């Protein structure tokens, strides 16, 4: 199922960890609608701007999968409101999202000042536009 021109549902539900643990990571209709809104408002505009492949490393996670990967119980991944991704120019992607999309949370996850390991971005019905950074060995996020 296509969510937007450049994104399919499969990219947001596929999980190696789920396969290994035999978890059926199936979103319901409301999760799918949230994923579609995330794509329409955030990920598709990013793809249009970047013109390079964007690899979704984690999208929707049902309760079981979220627990298995150590996600926060209230994680927006559980409702299809968040995804993690990598691409060829992460800094450029982060700047685009920061200044041109109506996100809820945008997080520079680990890595260096030049490149995060991955980017987490969420979209919900109360978009707070929080820009955060996560450092190794720290449980709390810092304002970016
Ligand atoms: Zn995430």
């Amino acid at each position: 199922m296509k969510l937007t021109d450049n994104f399919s549902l499969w990219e947001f539900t596929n999980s190696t960890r789920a396969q290994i643990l035999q978890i059926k990571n199936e979103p319901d209709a409301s999760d799918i609608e949230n994923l579609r809104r995330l794509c329409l408002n955030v990920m598709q505009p990013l793809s249009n701007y970047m013109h390079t492949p964007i690899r979704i490393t984690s999208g929707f996670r049902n309760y079981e999968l979220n627990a298995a990967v150590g996600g926060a119980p209230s994680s927006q991944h559980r409702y299809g409101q968040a995804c993690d991704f990598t691409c060829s120019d992460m800094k450029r992607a982060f700047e685009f999202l920061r200044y041109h999309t109506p996100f809820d949370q945008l997080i520079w996850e680990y890595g260096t000042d030049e490149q995060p390991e991955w980017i987490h971005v969420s979209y919900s019905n109360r978009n707070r536009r929080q820009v955060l950074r996560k450092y190794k060995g720290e449980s709390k996020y810092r304002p970016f």
Side-chain angles (χ1 to χ4, degrees), residues 5-128:
D5 281 353
N6 298 352
F7 293 99
S8 66
L9 179 59
W10 180 84
E11 294 172 80
F12 291 84
T13 55
N14 172 56
S15 160
T16 313
R17 183 72 79 89
Q19 278 168 22
I20 291 167
L21 298 174
Q22 297 189 306
I23 293 169
K24 269 186 101 181
N25 189 42
E26 281 183 355
D28 65 20
S30 138
D31 301 325
I32 293 171
E33 189 48 37
N34 287 337
L35 287 168
R36 192 188 307 280
R37 286 155 54 93
L38 173 66
C39 283
L40 269 175
N41 293 287
V42 176
M43 297 309 287
Q44 186 61 44
L46 175 67
S47 178
N48 295 345
Y49 174 74
M50 296 295 287
H51 292 294
T52 55
I54 292 165
R55 181 169 176 265
I56 308 298
T57 53
S58 186
F60 171 74
R61 304 197 294 243
N62 73 1
Y63 178 83
E64 241 186 314
L65 178 60
N66 189 59
V69 300
S74 62
S75 171
Q76 290 182 300
H77 284 281
R78 280 196 52 205
Y79 309 102
Q81 294 176 336
C83 71
D84 301 333
F85 71 90
T86 60
C87 61
S88 60
D89 191 341
M90 307 277 277
K91 198 167 188 172
R92 189 159 169 258
F94 193 87
E95 294 297 296
F96 175 80
L97 293 174
R98 181 175 194 171
Y99 296 111
H100 302 281
T101 63
F103 60 87
D104 183 28
Q105 286 189 316
L106 175 64
I107 308 174
W108 183 287
E109 302 266 9
Y110 309 115
T112 65
D113 287 349
E114 289 310 306
Q115 183 172 304
E117 277 185 35
W118 71 87
I119 292 170
H120 167 107
V121 66
S122 68
Y123 182 89
S124 72
N125 49 16
R126 52 163 198 146
N127 293 308
R128 297 165 288 179

